[in-house]
Coordinates of all heavy atoms in Angstrom, one line a residue:
T1 N 19.1 17.5 12.8 CA 20.6 17.3 12.6 C 21.0 17.2 11.1 O 21.1 18.2 10.5 CB 21.1 16.1 13.4 OG1 20.3 14.9 13.0 CG2 20.9 16.3 14.9
V2 N 21.1 16.0 10.7 CA 21.7 15.8 9.3 C 20.6 16.1 8.2 O 21.0 16.3 7.0 CB 22.2 14.4 9.1 CG1 23.4 14.2 10.0 CG2 21.1 13.4 9.4
L3 N 19.3 16.2 8.6 CA 18.3 16.4 7.6 C 17.4 17.6 8.0 O 16.2 17.5 8.1 CB 17.4 15.2 7.4 CG 18.1 14.0 6.7 CD1 17.2 12.7 6.7 CD2 18.5 14.3 5.3
R4 N 18.1 18.7 8.3 CA 17.4 19.9 8.8 C 16.5 20.5 7.6 O 16.9 20.4 6.5 CB 18.3 20.9 9.3 CG 18.9 20.7 10.7 CD 19.7 21.8 11.2 NE 20.8 22.1 10.4 CZ 22.0 21.6 10.6 NH1 22.2 20.8 11.6 NH2 23.0 21.9 9.8
G5 N 15.4 21.1 8.0 CA 14.5 21.7 7.0 C 13.1 21.8 7.6 O 12.8 21.3 8.6
E6 N 12.3 22.6 6.9 CA 10.9 22.8 7.3 C 10.1 21.7 6.8 O 10.2 21.1 5.7 CB 10.4 24.1 6.7 CG 10.9 25.3 7.4 CD 10.2 26.6 7.0 OE1 9.0 26.5 6.6 OE2 10.8 27.7 7.0
A7 N 9.1 21.3 7.6 CA 8.2 20.2 7.3 C 7.1 20.8 6.3 O 6.7 21.9 6.5 CB 7.4 19.7 8.5
T8 N 6.8 20.1 5.2 CA 5.9 20.6 4.2 C 4.5 20.1 4.6 O 4.3 19.1 5.2 CB 6.3 20.1 2.8 OG1 6.3 18.7 2.8 CG2 7.6 20.7 2.4
S9 N 3.5 20.9 4.2 CA 2.1 20.5 4.4 C 1.6 19.7 3.2 O 2.2 19.8 2.1 CB 1.2 21.7 4.7 OG 1.3 22.6 3.5
F10 N 0.5 19.0 3.4 CA -0.1 18.3 2.2 C -1.6 18.2 2.4 O -2.1 18.3 3.5 CB 0.5 16.9 2.1 CG 0.0 15.9 3.1 CD1 -0.9 14.9 2.7 CD2 0.4 15.9 4.4 CE1 -1.4 14.0 3.6 CE2 -0.1 14.9 5.3 CZ -1.0 14.0 4.9
S11 N -2.3 18.1 1.3 CA -3.7 18.0 1.3 C -4.1 16.6 1.4 O -3.7 15.8 0.5 CB -4.3 18.7 0.1 OG -4.0 20.1 0.0
L12 N -4.8 16.2 2.4 CA -5.3 14.8 2.6 C -6.8 14.8 2.5 O -7.5 15.3 3.5 CB -4.8 14.2 3.9 CG -5.3 12.8 4.2 CD1 -4.7 11.9 3.1 CD2 -4.8 12.3 5.5
E13 N -7.4 14.3 1.4 CA -8.8 14.2 1.3 C -9.3 12.9 1.9 O -8.8 11.8 1.4 CB -9.2 14.4 -0.2 CG -10.7 14.3 -0.4 CD -11.0 14.4 -1.9 OE1 -10.1 14.6 -2.7 OE2 -12.2 14.4 -2.3
L14 N -10.2 12.9 2.8 CA -10.7 11.7 3.4 C -11.7 11.1 2.4 O -12.8 11.7 2.1 CB -11.4 12.0 4.7 CG -10.5 12.5 5.8 CD1 -11.3 12.7 7.1 CD2 -9.3 11.6 6.0
P15 N -11.4 9.9 1.8 CA -12.4 9.3 0.9 C -13.6 8.8 1.5 O -13.6 8.5 2.8 CB -11.5 8.2 0.3 CG -10.6 7.8 1.4 CD -10.3 9.1 2.1
P16 N -14.7 8.6 0.8 CA -15.9 8.0 1.4 C -15.7 6.6 1.8 O -14.8 5.9 1.2 CB -16.9 8.2 0.3 CG -16.1 8.2 -1.0 CD -14.9 8.9 -0.6
Y17 N -16.4 6.1 2.7 CA -16.4 4.7 3.1 C -17.0 3.8 2.0 O -18.2 4.1 1.6 CB -17.1 4.4 4.4 CG -16.4 5.1 5.6 CD1 -17.0 6.3 6.0 CD2 -15.3 4.6 6.2 CE1 -16.4 7.0 7.1 CE2 -14.7 5.3 7.2 CZ -15.3 6.5 7.7 OH -14.7 7.1 8.8
R18 N -16.3 2.8 1.5 CA -16.8 2.0 0.4 C -16.6 0.5 0.8 O -15.5 0.2 1.4 CB -16.2 2.3 -0.9 CG -16.3 3.7 -1.4 CD -15.7 3.9 -2.8 NE -15.7 5.3 -3.2 CZ -14.7 6.0 -3.4 NH1 -13.5 5.5 -3.2 NH2 -14.7 7.3 -3.7
P19 N -17.5 -0.3 0.4 CA -17.2 -1.8 0.7 C -16.1 -2.2 -0.2 O -16.0 -1.8 -1.4 CB -18.6 -2.4 0.3 CG -19.2 -1.5 -0.7 CD -18.8 -0.1 -0.2
P20 N -15.2 -3.0 0.3 CA -14.0 -3.5 -0.5 C -14.4 -4.5 -1.6 O -15.4 -5.2 -1.4 CB -13.1 -4.1 0.5 CG -14.0 -4.6 1.6 CD -15.1 -3.6 1.7
N21 N -13.7 -4.4 -2.6 CA -13.8 -5.4 -3.7 C -13.0 -6.7 -3.3 O -11.8 -6.7 -3.4 CB -13.3 -4.8 -5.0 CG -13.6 -5.8 -6.2 OD1 -13.5 -7.0 -6.1 ND2 -14.0 -5.2 -7.3
I22 N -13.7 -7.7 -2.8 CA -13.0 -8.8 -2.2 C -12.1 -9.5 -3.2 O -10.9 -9.9 -2.9 CB -14.0 -9.8 -1.7 CG1 -14.9 -9.2 -0.6 CG2 -13.3 -11.1 -1.1 CD1 -14.1 -8.6 0.6
L23 N -12.5 -9.8 -4.4 CA -11.7 -10.5 -5.4 C -10.4 -9.7 -5.7 O -9.3 -10.2 -5.8 CB -12.5 -10.7 -6.7 CG -13.6 -11.7 -6.6 CD1 -14.3 -11.9 -7.9 CD2 -13.1 -13.1 -6.1
R24 N -10.6 -8.3 -5.9 CA -9.4 -7.5 -6.2 C -8.5 -7.5 -5.0 O -7.2 -7.5 -5.1 CB -9.8 -6.1 -6.6 CG -8.6 -5.2 -7.0 CD -9.1 -3.9 -7.6 NE -9.9 -3.1 -6.6 CZ -9.4 -2.3 -5.7 NH1 -8.0 -2.2 -5.6 NH2 -10.1 -1.6 -4.9
T25 N -9.1 -7.4 -3.8 CA -8.3 -7.4 -2.6 C -7.4 -8.6 -2.5 O -6.2 -8.6 -2.1 CB -9.2 -7.2 -1.4 OG1 -9.8 -6.0 -1.4 CG2 -8.4 -7.3 -0.1
L26 N -8.0 -9.8 -2.7 CA -7.3 -11.1 -2.6 C -6.2 -11.1 -3.7 O -5.1 -11.5 -3.4 CB -8.3 -12.2 -2.8 CG -9.2 -12.5 -1.7 CD1 -10.2 -13.6 -2.0 CD2 -8.5 -12.8 -0.4
Y27 N -6.5 -10.6 -4.9 CA -5.5 -10.6 -5.9 C -4.3 -9.7 -5.6 O -3.1 -10.2 -5.6 CB -6.1 -10.2 -7.3 CG -5.1 -10.1 -8.4 CD1 -4.9 -11.3 -9.2 CD2 -4.3 -9.0 -8.7 CE1 -4.0 -11.2 -10.3 CE2 -3.4 -9.0 -9.7 CZ -3.2 -10.1 -10.5 OH -2.3 -10.1 -11.5
T28 N -4.6 -8.5 -5.3 CA -3.5 -7.5 -5.0 C -2.7 -7.9 -3.7 O -1.5 -7.7 -3.6 CB -4.0 -6.1 -4.8 OG1 -5.0 -6.1 -3.8 CG2 -4.6 -5.6 -6.1
S29 N -3.4 -8.5 -2.7 CA -2.8 -8.8 -1.5 C -1.9 -10.1 -1.6 O -0.8 -10.2 -1.1 CB -3.8 -9.0 -0.4 OG -4.5 -7.8 -0.2
L30 N -2.5 -11.1 -2.2 CA -1.8 -12.4 -2.3 C -0.8 -12.5 -3.4 O 0.3 -13.1 -3.2 CB -2.9 -13.6 -2.4 CG -3.9 -13.7 -1.3 CD1 -4.9 -14.8 -1.6 CD2 -3.2 -13.9 0.0
I31 N -1.1 -12.0 -4.6 CA -0.2 -12.1 -5.7 C 0.7 -10.9 -5.8 O 1.9 -11.1 -5.8 CB -1.1 -12.1 -7.0 CG1 -2.1 -13.3 -7.0 CG2 -0.1 -12.3 -8.2 CD1 -1.4 -14.6 -6.8
D32 N 0.2 -9.7 -5.7 CA 1.0 -8.5 -5.9 C 1.8 -8.1 -4.7 O 2.8 -7.3 -4.8 CB 0.1 -7.3 -6.3 CG 0.8 -6.3 -7.1 OD1 1.8 -6.7 -7.8 OD2 0.5 -5.1 -7.0
R33 N 1.5 -8.6 -3.5 CA 2.2 -8.3 -2.3 C 2.8 -9.5 -1.6 O 4.0 -9.6 -1.5 CB 1.3 -7.5 -1.3 CG 0.9 -6.1 -1.8 CD 0.0 -5.5 -0.7 NE -0.4 -4.1 -1.2 CZ -1.3 -3.4 -0.5 NH1 -1.7 -3.7 0.7 NH2 -1.6 -2.2 -1.0
T34 N 2.0 -10.4 -1.2 CA 2.5 -11.6 -0.4 C 3.5 -12.4 -1.2 O 4.6 -12.6 -0.7 CB 1.3 -12.5 0.0 OG1 0.3 -11.7 0.7 CG2 1.8 -13.6 0.8
L35 N 3.2 -12.8 -2.4 CA 4.1 -13.7 -3.1 C 5.4 -13.0 -3.5 O 6.4 -13.6 -3.5 CB 3.4 -14.3 -4.3 CG 2.2 -15.3 -4.0 CD1 1.7 -15.9 -5.2 CD2 2.7 -16.4 -3.0
I36 N 5.3 -11.7 -3.9 CA 6.4 -11.0 -4.3 C 7.4 -10.8 -3.1 O 8.6 -11.1 -3.2 CB 6.1 -9.6 -4.9 CG1 5.4 -9.9 -6.3 CG2 7.3 -8.7 -5.1 CD1 4.9 -8.6 -6.9
V37 N 6.8 -10.4 -2.0 CA 7.7 -10.2 -0.8 C 8.2 -11.6 -0.3 O 9.4 -11.7 0.1 CB 6.9 -9.6 0.3 CG1 7.7 -9.6 1.6 CG2 6.4 -8.2 -0.1
L38 N 7.4 -12.6 -0.4 CA 7.9 -14.0 0.0 C 9.0 -14.4 -0.9 O 10.0 -15.0 -0.5 CB 6.7 -15.0 -0.1 CG 7.0 -16.4 0.3 CD1 7.4 -16.5 1.8 CD2 5.9 -17.3 0.0
W39 N 8.9 -14.2 -2.2 CA 10.0 -14.6 -3.1 C 11.3 -13.9 -2.8 O 12.3 -14.5 -2.8 CB 9.5 -14.3 -4.6 CG 10.7 -14.4 -5.6 CD1 11.3 -13.4 -6.3 CD2 11.3 -15.6 -6.0 NE1 12.3 -13.9 -7.1 CE2 12.3 -15.2 -6.9 CE3 11.2 -16.9 -5.6 CZ2 13.2 -16.2 -7.5 CZ3 12.0 -17.9 -6.2 CH2 13.0 -17.5 -7.1
R40 N 11.2 -12.6 -2.5 CA 12.4 -11.9 -2.1 C 13.1 -12.5 -0.9 O 14.3 -12.7 -0.8 CB 12.1 -10.4 -1.9 CG 11.8 -9.6 -3.2 CD 11.5 -8.2 -2.9 NE 11.2 -7.4 -4.1 CZ 10.8 -6.2 -4.1 NH1 10.7 -5.5 -2.9 NH2 10.5 -5.6 -5.2
A41 N 12.2 -12.8 0.1 CA 12.7 -13.4 1.4 C 13.3 -14.7 1.1 O 14.4 -15.1 1.7 CB 11.6 -13.5 2.4
V42 N 12.7 -15.5 0.2 CA 13.3 -16.9 -0.1 C 14.6 -16.8 -0.7 O 15.6 -17.5 -0.4 CB 12.3 -17.6 -1.0 CG1 12.9 -18.8 -1.6 CG2 11.0 -18.1 -0.2
V43 N 14.8 -15.8 -1.6 CA 16.1 -15.6 -2.3 C 17.2 -15.3 -1.3 O 18.3 -15.8 -1.4 CB 15.9 -14.5 -3.4 CG1 17.3 -14.1 -3.9 CG2 15.0 -14.9 -4.5

């Protein structure tokens, strides 16, 4: 309807399975995502 057009294709490369970096995961998840989103919600 309002957004008519052809769907574009994209290349999706499946990355290898790797063990997660736990410290970086905690940092990006708790600081860079959780607290920022929480702050917006609090405001």
Side-chain angles (χ1 to χ4, degrees):
T1 53
V2 294
L3 291 173
R4 283 189 296 269
E6 285 190 28
T8 58
S9 60
F10 77 105
S11 299
L12 178 62
E13 181 180 358
L14 296 181
Y17 296 100
R18 302 186 185 112
N21 187 320
I22 299 300
L23 293 179
R24 182 171 64 85
T25 296
L26 291 176
Y27 179 91
T28 55
S29 301
L30 298 179
I31 304 299
D32 205 29
R33 292 181 181 177
T34 301
L35 294 185
I36 290 177
V37 174
L38 181 65
W39 168 248
R40 291 179 180 176
V42 165
V43 170

